[in-house]
Amino acid sequence: MKASNYSDPGMAEPTYRGATGTARETDLIARIAEGDRKAFEELYYLYHRRLARFLTRLTRRYDIAEEVVNDTFWVVWRKAKTFRGDSQPSTWILGIAYRKARNAFRSSARLAEKNLQAEMLPPTEEEPAGTEELRDWLTRALAELPVEQRLAVELCYELGYSCEEIAKIMDCPVNTVKTRLFHARAKLQRLLPQLATPTGASADDSARQGSAARPGHRPP
């Protein structure tokens, strides 16, 4: 199944975190368990763009992101009968997406890393022009984090889940989530200033320092 372009700013993004939305999604999953394809299409529409945006912030391999989205919904279709309502529908769906993303990223780790490096833009020589450039810096910094830390950061700051919800999604203790977020924030604090420093400026500074150290050299 292929959805519309999820990056289109003109499209209103569906929301599903409220009580009414939760009840609706629980009903959709129950209908999917009975083989209702229209209910499946509706749930797919509710989640596709958010899942796709979440995943493409973690990897610039759009083919991998789309594969993970489709694999996630395939599991939803097959496993809908196992959903008992012990957690929020969004937590259950994101848990499936997390496991699929982790496996996809790990199984293609070497190729993914090569592609990430090849597709990364060089650091800009100007100040960030706006939000898009700042987000690009953040995307490149996130690519340097381990998979679990990347996913935890995006679940927390992009999708707005609490540490308790993330622990259910990632199937780990809450303290593990907090530790991953702590280390991720520390790494991002180191990486972002490096991305903001033009490579040309750093090279020029090094050259000037080397020249100034040579006897008889007068700085310009």
Side-chain angles (χ1 to χ4, degrees), residues 136-202:
D136 181 67
W137 286 0
L138 181 57
T139 299
R140 285 154 50 201
L142 283 170
E144 300 296 321
L145 301 180
V147 171
E148 284 82 2
Q149 290 180 16
R150 271 189 279 166
L151 290 165
V153 167
E154 286 299 304
L155 287 168
C156 180
Y157 297 108
E158 179 70 12
L159 296 183
Y161 284 94
S162 66
C163 287
E164 289 74 15
E165 290 172 317
I166 296 171
K168 289 181 181 179
I169 292 169
M170 302 182 83
D171 192 23
C172 66
V174 174
N175 283 340
T176 299
V177 173
K178 292 179 179 179
T179 299
R180 288 172 179 171
L181 289 172
F182 173 82
H183 288 299
R185 285 194 294 264
K187 290 178 183 177
L188 289 173
Q189 286 176 348
R190 293 196 302 269
L191 287 168
L192 286 171
Q194 294 174 16
L195 292 173
T197 302
T199 52
S202 299

Side-chain angles (χ1 to χ4, degrees), residues 65-119:
E66 192 65 30
E67 179 183 343
V68 170
V69 171
N70 288 332
D71 286 349
T72 297
F73 282 105
W74 174 237
V75 174
V76 169
W77 174 257
R78 292 190 298 110
K79 300 290 187 180
K81 289 183 179 179
T82 68
F83 179 70
R84 301 289 181 240
D86 298 331
S87 62
Q88 299 281 335
S90 62
T91 302
W92 180 64
I93 293 170
L94 263 293
I96 297 170
Y98 162 74
R99 290 187 292 276
K100 290 295 180 182
R102 182 188 59 190
N103 293 339
F105 293 163
R106 284 178 172 173
S107 65
S108 59
R110 291 181 181 177
L111 179 60
E113 287 302 317
K114 287 180 181 178
N115 280 318
L116 280 169
Q117 295 298 326
E119 293 175 16

Side-chain angles (χ1 to χ4, degrees), residues 14 16 25 42-52 69 73 89-91 93-94 161:
Y16 50 82
E25 289 162 23
E42 183 175 341
L43 192 70
Y44 182 91
Y45 170 72
L46 285 172
Y47 278 86
H48 179 275
R49 289 182 64 228
R50 186 174 292 250
L51 284 178
V69 171
F73 282 105
S90 62
T91 302
I93 293 170
L94 263 293
Y161 284 94

